[in-house]
């Protein structure tokens, strides 16, 4: 594979065995080229600036500088795609707050690792294609070709482009639970929290309905009431009650009333 198409990757972890484990997993991926390894924060900063990797597998707990402090030392243009790899789940929310691509909690499964790297590769390719289009237009404008229509940005895999959240990190009595949105059946408002129902369990999550609704794919999640959002794929039936009332029955048997202001969403369902 030509070098420019490789995903140039840096491994950062203060444990040599952990670095070796990540290196062995990456060795099975022909698209990835490991450009260096760092055992502490300052070394990580130096190697990122020296090698400009596309992707960094970054430990959080390290001597001198932790993973977050490493990123804080970098200029915005120097920050690569980041997957945090750590034994501690207490940093998960912060990692997602700074838009890390993923957060791998040791010990992790091989398929979970490769899934995270796969999405990182898609993200890197998308960034490269966007940069290539911008540079091409810059060259054309230099030669007076200002009327040239910008080349369309190639479609990227949905996992890299979709703005919707795919997984929620929920604090739950001294731990963080990662919940795939596909598992969600419905969501109820609870003051400044929401109660998320999934897999027969209810999770209390500190976020408003409005904020969470804005992060969910509207093709999948439907607001049916001021205080309720349902996963449309979990709707088993719709039932009319009287002349105006409509009830959604979910696959679990839970019944939720649809507010009149939201009934029009179901008209096309017949």
């Amino acid at each position: 594979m030509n070098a420019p198409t490789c995903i140039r990757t840096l491994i950062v972890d203060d444990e040599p065995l952990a670095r070796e484990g990540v290196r062995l997993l990456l060795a099975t991926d022909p698209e990835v080229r490991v450009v260096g390894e760092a055992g502490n924060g300052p070394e990580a900063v130096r190697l990122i600036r020296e090698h400009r990797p596309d992707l960094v597998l970054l430990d959080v707990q390290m001597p001198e500088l932790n993973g977050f402090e490493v990123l804080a030392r970098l200029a915005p243009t120097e920050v690569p795609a980041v997957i945090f790899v750590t034994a501690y789940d207490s940093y998960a929310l912060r990692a997602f707050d700074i838009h890390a691509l993923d957060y791998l909690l040791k010990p992790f499964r091989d398929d979970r690792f490769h899934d995270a790297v796969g999405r990182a590769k898609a993200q890197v390719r998308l960034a490269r294609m966007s940069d290539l289009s911008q540079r091409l237009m810059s060259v054309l404008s230099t030669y007076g070709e200002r009327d040239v229509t910008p080349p369309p940005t190639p479609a990227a895999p949905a996992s890299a482009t979709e703005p919707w959240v795919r997984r929620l990190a929920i604090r739950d009595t001294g731990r963080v639970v990662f919940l795939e949105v596909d598992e969600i059946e419905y969501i109820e408002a609870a003051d400044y929290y929401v109660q998320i129902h999934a897999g027969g369990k209810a999770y209390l999550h500190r976020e408003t309905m409005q904020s969470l609704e804005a992060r969910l794919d509207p093709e999948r999640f439907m607001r049916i009431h001021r205080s309720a959002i349902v996963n449309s794929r979990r709707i088993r039936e719709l039932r009319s009650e009287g002349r105006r009332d409509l009830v959604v029955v979910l696959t679990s048997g839970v019944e939720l009333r649809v507010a009149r202001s939201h009934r029009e969403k179901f008209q096309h369902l017949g």
Side-chain angles (χ1 to χ4, degrees):
M1 175 170 294
N2 296 329
T5 64
C6 287
I7 307 299
R8 304 171 71 255
T9 303
L10 182 71
I11 302 171
V12 181
D13 199 305
D14 64 327
E15 299 178 9
L17 287 177
R19 294 200 302 273
E20 181 180 4
V22 170
R23 186 172 64 250
L24 291 174
L25 286 171
L26 292 176
T28 65
D29 190 330
E31 295 181 284
V32 173
R33 180 162 68 90
V34 176
V35 296
E37 297 182 18
N40 56 57
E43 188 178 14
V45 173
R46 182 180 64 79
L47 292 180
I48 289 172
R49 286 174 173 161
E50 178 181 341
H51 294 291
R52 294 301 182 101
D54 302 303
L55 171 66
V56 175
L57 282 302
L58 182 59
D59 189 14
V60 176
Q61 287 280 34
M62 294 184 295
E64 302 181 63
L65 292 177
N66 65 37
F68 298 108
E69 291 168 332
V70 166
L71 299 179
R73 293 289 181 93
L74 301 171
T77 56
E78 295 176 320
V79 177
V82 174
I83 296 174
F84 281 108
V85 184
T86 178
Y88 304 91
D89 63 6
S90 55
Y91 301 106
L93 291 180
R94 189 176 175 189
F96 284 105
D97 283 344
I98 65 170
H99 305 294
L101 284 176
D102 214 325
Y103 185 94
L104 294 175
L105 190 62
K106 302 173 185 175
F108 48 80
R109 302 190 313 274
D110 290 2
D111 60 341
R112 176 75 182 84
F113 177 87
H114 289 301
D115 178 62
V117 172
R119 286 190 289 114
K121 291 192 297 185
Q123 185 72 36
V124 169
R125 291 193 193 98
L126 178 63
R128 284 177 176 173
M129 288 187 286
S130 176
D131 179 63
L132 179 62
S133 295
Q134 291 178 6
R135 285 190 282 119
L136 177 60
M137 288 307 299
S138 176
V139 171
L140 290 176
S141 65
T142 301
Y143 287 90
E145 300 289 342
R146 298 180 184 279
D147 294 333
V148 173
T149 301
T153 300
S159 59
T161 59
E162 64 180 16
W164 317 118
V165 65
R166 299 175 57 189
R167 188 169 54 154
L168 296 174
I170 300 172
R171 292 184 183 277
D172 182 26
T173 317
R175 61 176 182 158
V176 176
V177 176
F178 295 102
L179 184 66
E180 301 290 336
V181 297
D182 291 345
E183 302 176 42
I184 296 175
E185 185 176 39
Y186 68 102
I187 303 164
E188 292 181 301
D191 294 327
Y192 295 103
Y193 291 80
V194 292
Q195 194 163 46
I196 300 174
H197 298 265
K201 298 180 181 178
Y203 302 89
L204 197 60
H205 177 55
R206 186 175 175 77
E207 185 170 5
T208 65
M209 287 284 279
Q210 290 79 8
S211 172
L212 182 55
E213 182 183 18
R215 299 200 294 139
L216 293 171
D217 183 354
E219 295 292 326
R220 180 173 304 180
F221 289 91
M222 303 173 65
R223 187 76 171 263
I224 64 168
H225 194 277
R226 181 170 54 85
S227 60
I229 297 171
V230 300
N231 184 339
S232 60
R233 297 180 183 179
R234 303 299 178 108
I235 296 176
R236 188 178 69 196
E237 64 179 76
L238 299 173
R239 187 174 68 239
S240 296
E241 291 190 347
R243 297 181 60 183
R244 295 185 175 181
D245 290 338
L246 184 66
V247 172
V248 165
V249 182
L250 302 177
T251 51
S252 64
V254 170
E255 298 182 1
L256 299 170
R257 191 170 301 279
V258 180
R260 292 174 184 173
S261 59
H262 292 277
R263 288 193 56 159
E264 63 181 18
K265 298 177 182 176
F266 295 92
Q267 289 178 351
H268 69 284
L269 297 179

